[in-house]
Every structure is written in structure tokens, then in C-alpha cells.
Amino acid sequence: MDQPKTAIEYIHSLGRFSGAPGLHRIRALCAALGDPQKRLKFVHLAGTNGKGSTACMIANTLRCAGYRTGLNTSPYLVHFHERIRVDGAMIGDSDLSRLAERVALAAESLTLPEGETIGEFEFTTAISFLYFLEQECDIVVLETGLGGRCDASNVIDPPEVCVITPISRDHMDALGDTVAEIAAEKAGIIKPSSAVVCAVNQPAEALPVLRRACDAAGAIWCSFPTDTTVLRCDIHNTAFLYEGQGYTLAMPGRYQLQNALTALHTIQALRERGWKIDVSAVVRGLASARMAGRLERVRENPLVLLDGAHNAAGTDALCDAIDEMLGRKRLHVVMGMVRDKEYEVCVRQLARRADIFYACAPDNDRALITTTLAALAEQDCDAVFDCGTAERAIALALENAAPNDCVLVCGSIYLVGEAEKILRTRQKATE
């Protein structure tokens, strides 16, 4: 693995799933590396929706409070390096290549059950632990990849705070068919003596499961005030009052208020454990926190938005934001999905709001074929184009859109990442 690109190609070659569910592989790998995770402090997040935005808000606030802060998120949009950050800066090529080689050597030394190997997420998680330790992080905000109980990130010792964002039906093939079953898997991150912060908009089916897991683990359930007063909520930002203090969010969408409230509760839980985080750091942290692909505004005239909502609950939140913020703008929806999601409800929700719908397929082997997607959209939208590729769909949408229209690129996170590259290339071509 001499070149950075080769390191990334090697990591991708490891595959998404590498054997029976469990932590035995990541435990063995971390042990071979000297258990770097045991010398770090964590805020650990699990949930179905809002993990990335909430993690970003928490990490940004901790950085503004003066703590050297690691942030581990997944998946990435454009650059693999986005997954591992310290104080907002992505891991560099040389560090990624060097640490990938070290983890590869450790992986080769392991004796694993027959047919099992170290997978991509396990490998990347190990790299992040080594990097955060080298960078002398005071605290790491760590997002689960899939589930919680058997997620590679769950190899850590009890974190400072366990955060559970809203749970809904997603990844049912791996996590269970009901919200309660999925909640039980997510609750697997709850550990003894850790504080537990639960999103206030948690489904009723999930709450008792999470409370029982908290009690069984000997963790500390945190209850904080939940009332907020919204002062402004538009496509540019959101302002609100909480406990008499004003805050502004750079990330638009009323659903981001819920994520912000979860972040505020997490900060309060950290304060109760001795972390010094003053109000000004929280105000600055929330105001400057940005997450790509979350109602991300990338162009004006026409307005171009990117959003990676890819399940029913996420799509509901996106549609609520569209209804509230776009007013009378004509809406061009560019959409692509992967076939292992509950794509029917997502497609039809967006198609109902679209003046023109452009079906495309993200560049991924799990992509839903565009004929299926277009046929679904045609049930709710009179103008549907089967464009095949994201590039053709975006080009046609921009060609058809008037200056006051909105082009929304949404669905699979893979499509949103692809759109970022396409739009950046188009912008450079016009400069």
C-alpha cells in the first residue's frame, strides 16, 4: 500500500460483511494493535436518523470549548477521509496510508474463525482509534455504522455518554423487523455507569426497550427540559430559544432542532461528568456546525439542495422541510435509491411534491433500477423522466429549471456524494 489511493482501494476491497455478527474480530484486531481505544474517552451515538448531524453538533461544540476532538462518522459523501476528523480536519493521505499498513499487518497476524476476515468497517474503525490516540484527542465523538450491539465501534469501554437518536425501520435484514427489535440492537451501546441521552422524538415502541437496557446495564438515564421556542426556520438557518438562551443552527430544517436538542442534552450530561463547556462555546458550536448532504444548499438561481434521506422517517422529515421552506417554488426532484431500502414509500412521498421527477441510479451495485423507480414516481407525478445516470438527471433538471425553481437531489447517500462531484465539476467548467 505505497500510495494513498491504493490504501483506500485496499480498504474497500475488504467488503461490507466479513463473517458472523459479533465483536470478536474487532476485539482481536484492537488487541493486536495495543487496544488504542482503551486510552480514549468517547461520546458514542447509535440510532437510525440524525446521528451524523447530532455528532457534528456535539463535536463542533467540544472543539469550541477548547477540547481536541475526534469525530468518526459513516458513510462518507465524496472523500473517504471525511470519516475520520480531528478538530474538523480530515485525516491526511500519508497518515491514512501509514495507519492502514499497520492495521493490515495486525489483521494478517490474527487467527479468526474459518471463513471470517476483517471487514471494511472494522478496519476503518481500528485506523480511527490509532489516529485519535496519536493526535492526543481529549474526547472522540463516535458514530455507529450499523446497529449497535455488534457494531465494530462498540468495542470501546463505557463511554462518557451514550446517545440514542431517533430509531425507525431500516436495515431490517440485519437488525429486526420492528422498531422494538431494532431499538434492542441499538441499545447494545449502553454500558455501565455511562450517561444515556435519548432523543425526545423517540418512537413510543422504542422508549421502553431503551429504558430497560439502561436499567439492566446500570447506566444513568438523563432527563433534561425539552421545551424550545422557534424564532425563525427557513432555508438559510434556524434560530430558537432553549432555557432562556438563544441559538442559531446553520443546518436548515425543523428536524435539525430535534438533533440540536439531543446535542444540548449531551453537552449537559458531559458537564455533569466534569467537562467544562461554557454557553458561548455551545452557541458558537451549533452556529458553525455543518454536515454535507443534509438539506445542503450548493447553488442559487436555481436553488439546488442535496439531501441523503434514504428511509421512511428521514423522507418524512425532508418532506416536512420542503413543505415549510420552499413555498411556491417549482420543485425538480432528482432521485435515486438502493434496492435494499424501503424505497416505495420514499419515492412516492417525493413524487407527490415534484413538479418534474428525474429517476436515476447511483453508481453502486445495490442501485435500484431506474425503470422501477420511474414507474413508482409516475403514480404520483405527471412529469417523470427516466434518466439512467445521475449526471444526465442533474443536467436535465438544471436545463429545465427556471431561476426561481428548486432542484432537489435526494435518496441514496451514494447519489448525493456523486452529485457533489458532478456539481463541483460543472461549476469549475463555468469559471
Side-chain angles (χ1 to χ4, degrees), residues 357-387:
F357 189 100
Y358 308 81
C360 63
D363 185 15
N364 186 275
D365 57 10
R366 293 155 53 211
L368 177 68
I369 60 172
T370 57
T371 51
T372 300
L373 198 156
L376 279 169
E378 284 170 353
Q379 297 180 49
D380 297 281
C381 180
D382 292 332
V384 176
F385 293 95
D386 183 347
C387 300

Side-chain angles (χ1 to χ4, degrees), residues 303-325:
L303 176 66
V304 178
L305 302 174
L306 308 181
D307 194 275
H310 55 266
N311 55 42
T315 301
D316 283 344
L318 172 59
C319 289
D320 287 345
I322 291 169
D323 295 343
E324 180 175 18
M325 295 180 176

Side-chain angles (χ1 to χ4, degrees), residues 385-428:
F385 293 95
D386 183 347
C387 300
T389 67
E391 188 153 11
R392 283 198 289 271
I394 290 169
L396 184 58
L398 291 174
E399 181 183 322
N400 289 340
N404 198 42
D405 291 355
C406 175
V407 175
L408 172 65
V409 182
C410 61
S412 169
I413 201 77
Y414 300 110
L415 173 65
V416 173
E418 202 175 338
E420 292 262 12
K421 296 177 186 175
I422 291 166
L423 291 165
R424 187 180 300 125
T425 301
R426 290 177 66 95
Q427 180 64 33
K428 286 180 181 177

Side-chain angles (χ1 to χ4, degrees), residues 28-352:
L29 181 58
C30 285
L33 293 166
D35 280 323
Q37 80 283 1
K38 292 184 177 294
R39 288 173 279 169
L40 295 164
K41 295 183 183 296
F42 294 93
V43 172
H44 198 191
L45 295 94
T48 308
N49 294 300
K51 291 197 304 292
S53 296
T54 305
C56 179
M57 292 177 190
I58 296 167
N60 209 46
T61 297
L62 287 166
R63 181 178 64 81
C64 287
Y67 293 108
R68 189 155 177 80
T69 305
L71 175 62
N72 184 314
T73 59
S74 66
Y76 66 93
L77 281 183
V78 179
H79 300 291
F80 180 89
H81 309 64
E82 296 167 25
R83 295 176 66 163
I84 303 171
R85 301 173 188 250
V86 172
D87 285 347
M90 294 184 286
I91 187 172
D93 287 337
S94 60
D95 285 326
L96 180 62
S97 292
R98 175 177 54 81
L99 293 175
E101 186 164 349
R102 183 175 168 189
V103 174
L105 289 172
E108 290 168 5
S109 73
L110 302 179
T111 302
L112 297 175
E114 186 176 353
E116 295 196 7
T117 59
I118 296 297
E120 177 175 346
F121 189 78
E122 292 161 329
F123 194 97
T124 305
T125 299
I127 289 176
S128 73
F129 291 153
L130 290 172
Y131 186 65
F132 294 141
L133 185 62
E134 283 187 357
Q135 292 293 309
E136 300 181 333
C137 289
D138 298 306
I139 191 165
V140 172
V141 180
L142 179 66
E143 181 186 338
T144 56
L146 176 64
R149 181 177 62 89
C150 295
D151 190 83
S153 66
N154 205 29
V155 72
I156 64 173
D157 289 338
E160 297 290 291
V161 187
C162 304
V163 182
I164 309 293
T165 66
I167 294 168
S168 63
R169 284 162 52 86
D170 200 3
H171 298 293
M172 283 85 75
D173 55 335
L175 303 180
D177 293 326
T178 68
V179 168
E181 289 173 336
I182 295 169
E185 289 294 316
K186 307 282 187 183
I189 72 165
I190 296 174
K191 294 184 174 66
S193 300
S194 296
V196 178
V197 168
C198 182
V200 296
N201 52 336
Q202 201 64 254
E205 310 97 290
L207 269 175
V209 177
L210 299 173
R211 290 300 300 258
R212 285 196 298 271
C214 181
D215 293 342
I220 303 157
W221 187 270
C222 296
S223 296
F224 299 113
T226 60
D227 290 340
T228 58
T229 301
V230 180
L231 304 176
R232 182 180 66 257
C233 185
D234 58 35
I235 200 63
H236 300 286
N237 54 41
T238 301
F240 68 102
L241 290 174
Y242 174 70
E243 293 289 279
Q245 175 64 50
Y247 299 94
T248 302
L249 301 178
M251 290 187 277
R254 194 171 289 267
Y255 63 91
Q256 292 292 4
L257 282 167
Q258 298 296 330
N259 295 332
L261 193 56
T262 304
L264 286 167
H265 290 171
T266 304
I267 294 303
Q268 185 57 34
L270 286 167
R271 285 175 175 146
E272 292 183 358
R273 297 175 75 88
W275 295 82
K276 299 187 184 305
I277 308 164
D278 62 32
V279 171
S280 67
V282 184
V283 170
R284 287 181 286 118
L286 293 186
S288 57
R290 287 175 173 80
M291 197 76 178
R294 275 69 169 180
L295 263 185
E296 181 187 6
R297 197 170 71 254
V298 294
R299 177 173 163 174
E300 308 285 346
N301 305 316
L303 176 66
V304 178
L305 302 174
L306 308 181
D307 194 275
H310 55 266
N311 55 42
T315 301
D316 283 344
L318 172 59
C319 289
D320 287 345
I322 291 169
D323 295 343
E324 180 175 18
M325 295 180 176
L326 295 188
R328 296 180 179 276
K329 287 182 180 292
R330 278 173 54 82
L331 181 62
H332 302 253
V333 172
V334 175
M335 192 169 189
M337 296 285 290
V338 291
R339 60 181 177 273
D340 53 4
K341 300 290 182 181
E342 289 187 305
Y343 56 80
E344 294 95 340
V345 64
C346 300
V347 173
R348 295 198 63 181
Q349 280 267 65
L350 270 302
R352 281 188 202 109

